[in-house]
Amino acid sequence: MSKTLIAYTIHLFTVSGVFLSFLALNSAVNGNITFVFIFLALALFVDGIDGTLARWADVKLHTPIINGEVLDNIIDFLNYVFVPAFVLYTLDFISDDFKLISIFIILSSSCYTFANNDLKTKDYYFSGFPALWNIVLFYFYLIQTSQTVNLVVIILLTIATFIPFKFTHPMRVVDNRKLTIFFLLVWMITSSMMLYQRHYGLYALDLNYYIWMISNLYFMYTTLKRTYVKKD
């Protein structure tokens, strides 16, 4: 297989994310919240590894006509921002009185995020909340937070978009990479189990929940450490 064909195949793999966003959107229209998260999770997986594959295949050299970064940003905006915002609006995660303003601030602040040339630090941390509204939506669903709590979280995270908190990019940050990937895998497995439990009405504060909480605390720790201890 030629290097050019490999490069185009990797771009096609990236493009699969836009179809997954459509499937997630269609699931939301049909009120199937579980499948929304399944398709968004698959899109997150694609986004998590396509950059590594692209660098391995040197796609910039072998497919110079394609701007992979622009392509990636378009698909990421759909899966990280637009689809979650649509779900928040249509499935009543926010009260009717604040729906439109909430969606407006999510979409507009995320446009800033995706246009921000200083979004990533030199050591590949995100500077400011990186518009991970798909993850926020997932937490709202898993924890079953109230509409009021959801609104407050949306406001706080929107503000955090413009504050240089350093959020870990699990696949790019070199510091403690093996440990970070380990906790990422733990988070993925326990999150999948919690989604299964929620879907079948089996949700409980069991061992899986506490392991999931530990993985979340790890990423909170890395954010606080990079923000307040290891400063630029």
Side-chain angles (χ1 to χ4, degrees):
M1 185 181 292
S2 71
K3 292 183 178 180
T4 299
L5 181 58
I6 291 173
Y8 274 111
T9 302
I10 292 171
H11 283 311
L12 185 61
F13 178 67
T14 299
V15 168
S16 69
V18 77
F19 182 61
L20 291 169
S21 69
F22 172 81
L23 294 176
L25 196 65
N26 185 61
S27 297
V29 170
N30 292 322
N32 194 332
I33 188 68
T34 300
F35 274 91
V36 169
F37 291 122
I38 289 173
F39 291 127
L40 288 180
L42 290 172
L44 188 63
F45 171 76
V46 170
D47 184 53
I49 66 172
D50 66 347
T52 300
L53 294 173
R55 287 185 290 274
W56 168 76
D58 200 358
V59 296
K60 288 185 178 180
L61 175 64
H62 298 295
T63 55
I65 196 173
I66 303 295
N67 190 322
E69 292 178 0
V70 172
L71 181 64
D72 193 58
N73 281 339
I74 292 170
I75 297 170
D76 283 354
F77 192 87
L78 287 171
N79 286 312
Y80 285 58
V81 182
F82 189 83
V83 172
F86 179 82
V87 176
L88 285 168
Y89 182 84
T90 56
L91 298 186
D92 296 323
F93 283 90
I94 310 165
S95 66
D96 290 340
D97 293 337
F98 298 101
K99 275 186 177 180
L100 285 178
I101 187 62
S102 298
I103 302 308
F104 173 77
I105 64 175
I106 287 172
L107 295 176
S108 57
S109 65
S110 298
C111 284
Y112 167 80
T113 298
F114 277 77
N116 182 6
N117 288 325
D118 296 324
L119 177 62
K120 292 178 183 176
T121 64
K122 292 180 180 179
D123 51 354
Y124 298 108
Y125 285 82
F126 292 110
S127 183
F129 174 64
L132 295 176
W133 295 107
N134 52 344
I135 303 299
V136 175
L137 172 66
F138 184 60
Y139 281 26
F140 286 168
Y141 176 69
L142 281 188
I143 305 174
Q144 296 287 284
T145 46
S146 67
Q147 291 179 330
T148 300
V149 170
N150 294 348
L151 177 63
V152 171
V153 170
I154 288 169
I155 293 171
L156 291 177
L157 290 177
T158 299
I159 295 171
T161 300
F162 306 96
I163 300 175
F165 294 117
K166 303 302 188 294
F167 293 83
T168 301
H169 189 313
M171 304 304 295
R172 297 298 303 277
V173 170
V174 175
D175 295 342
N176 300 312
R177 173 175 285 174
K178 290 183 179 179
L179 185 61
T180 298
I181 292 177
F182 168 76
F183 275 107
L184 176 63
L185 291 173
V186 169
W187 181 87
M188 292 170 62
I189 293 169
T190 54
S191 293
S192 299
M193 293 177 66
M194 288 177 68
L195 180 62
Y196 173 86
Q197 290 174 320
R198 178 65 73 190
H199 179 74
Y200 288 103
L202 304 174
Y203 184 77
L205 298 180
D206 55 10
L207 179 61
N208 181 74
Y209 172 82
Y210 291 111
I211 295 174
W212 179 77
M213 284 298 300
I214 291 171
S215 66
N216 281 280
L217 289 172
Y218 171 78
F219 287 107
M220 291 174 63
Y221 165 76
T222 60
T223 293
L224 293 173
K225 180 181 177 182
R226 178 60 179 82
T227 301
Y228 294 108
V229 178
K230 186 183 176 182
K231 299 182 179 180
D232 293 322

